[in-house]
Amino acid sequence: MQSFLQRFGALVLGVLCGWDRLRFRGTKRYLACEKGMMNFLWQQQILLKDFGDYARQATDQLRAATEQFAQQHGRTVQYLNNSQLRKEDLARELIRRDGLQQGLVAIFSAVEPCWSYELHKDRAAKKLVLRGGQRKCLHYYHYYLDPHVGLYHARLQSWFPFTLHVNLNGREWLARQLDAAGIGYVRRENCFSQVADFARAQTLLDEQSRVDWPQLLARLTQHVHPTEAALFANCPVPYYWSADQTEWATDVAFCSAAALASWYPSFVRHGLLRLSSADVLRFLGKKISVATNNTGRFAGEVLSDLVDRADGVRVKHRVNGNSVKMYDKQQTVLRVETTIQENRDFKVYRTTEKDPEGTPQWQRLRKGVADLHRRGEISQAANDRYLSTLATVAETRPLGELAAGVCQATQWSGRRVRALNPLSPADSRLLAAVNRGEFVLRGFRNRDVRALLYGKTASDTERQRQGAAVTRQLRLLRAHGLIQKIPKTHSYRVSAKGQTVLTALLTARDADVNTLVQAA
């Protein structure tokens, strides 16, 4: 992101990086499998033939208690039979109508799909069995105005195993933090176009990632399931909290709508035309073979699209349920946002659950809130890489001026170094090789470039000859300031100057004649 701010700093008021929307799942893990549910019924001394009556009784008690809780707070449970209605819009309308500041806003109910249990007859074994599967049941949506996190809602399944979902909004939470700190701001829907102190606001956003999530979620949902204590009095079954979906947004607030509008069309073209599927895969945790551009076992799809929405033009790249997207929010905020729903593509450095005192290793990222901090790191890194690619778009100098330096001979360690010819096949292939997307993440080595330029070679002698040739070519790029060596490694990366020059030269190389004529 630093390269983006170096290029656009004069147009940017400030940057905010942090959680946007968070969707948590509260699961009673003991009841989430058939064996655990059978053990729970055994402890409650409930026969399988009586399970239906027992479950209905528990649901009836929950419904009655929920109705009573709503009445105590001057509300009624409103049943919604239209899935197209946006419940949050209804809740915000009630807040405006009644002038609410905190407390219960509304409770909505709706019949929706769920995972639950049902009795079946096993004719072969001649007995009843309990089987889990997809069902439908009544769900309750509790909308609250919390003095600390703002508006949030909790969705409770009214049938066993009483799965609970909680939806928070990091920007809603930030507004409460700014109010408490006495920091002025201009908020438009879910973003901040102006903040009196962006640095202090970022500090407050960082605090959100350091909260005790199980404690916070338990506090926010203490009234959602009013019969939980009585139902599980003999066999306490706490909720296990996991993150079903997280959105981490990087908001770049421009000084005016005109400032963002002058560049945003170029950003959109770059996101759709210049970013390859391999680039998107690397942003979202996939390893790509340098030599073959092979994605290994990946057999899914990489989808990129553009949608003109009411709040701005959005470019979105999707892989396996995860995504990186960009849009101009409220005309003055450039938002880059990473959404993680499937965690299997990512790693976290931690000990194993079986050996918490052992040596940490790179393990698969868990959905549990214990790894939520790592989700934030991964998401911010993806946003930074996306903004870094956008920084190369913003170059107003003529191509001739950019190319003048590299198209002339120069000096390197007291020796003359030849000029580059970006349109020649050899130099063009070299520039394209070092400018590949995977090298933005980890840099590149001699062998990486050799594999791209020469492919697989069986002979050791031939590999040595090719490696020596690549060494001379890398020295040529270093002399022209296009790449730089990573300290204490054998790797290189494209320099800030190189990002601008290489992108401009390769874009001009790939442009058709009509495009160049129109530009002229």
Side-chain angles (χ1 to χ4, degrees), residues 436-453:
R436 289 170 63 93
E438 65 266 33
F439 299 148
V440 175
L441 308 185
R442 59 177 179 81
F444 58 88
R445 304 180 72 172
N446 183 301
R447 64 190 181 196
D448 299 325
V449 178
R450 178 175 57 81
L452 290 170
L453 296 181

Side-chain angles (χ1 to χ4, degrees), residues 69-70 73-78 87-108 141-146 150-153 176:
F69 178 77
H73 290 78
R75 300 286 164 185
T76 59
V77 178
Q78 181 180 352
K87 302 175 184 65
E88 184 172 333
D89 291 343
L90 297 176
R92 291 192 180 278
E93 179 58 32
L94 289 174
I95 293 173
R96 287 190 292 268
R97 187 193 72 183
D98 299 341
L100 300 177
Q101 298 297 322
Q102 66 179 58
L104 179 65
V105 174
I107 299 179
F108 303 118
Y141 286 79
H142 294 243
Y143 280 82
Y144 289 91
L145 269 176
D146 185 79
L151 181 65
Y152 74 96
H153 80 263
R176 296 301 177 114

Side-chain angles (χ1 to χ4, degrees), residues 182-204:
I183 300 174
Y185 60 88
V186 176
R187 181 185 176 195
R188 298 177 181 174
E189 292 188 357
N190 196 35
C191 68
F192 297 85
S193 57
Q194 295 182 33
V195 179
D197 188 343
F198 273 96
R200 176 60 177 149
Q202 183 60 57
T203 301
L204 296 175

Side-chain angles (χ1 to χ4, degrees), residues 164-176:
L164 181 60
H165 289 87
V166 178
N167 282 49
L168 301 179
N169 189 304
R171 294 318 199 248
E172 178 84 19
W173 188 351
L174 176 61
R176 296 301 177 114

Side-chain angles (χ1 to χ4, degrees), residues 57 108 181 224 241 283 330 360 406 459 505 514:
Q57 181 181 4
F108 303 118
V224 174
W241 293 103
F283 288 170
Q330 300 300 317
V406 300
S459 169
L505 292 175
N514 290 332

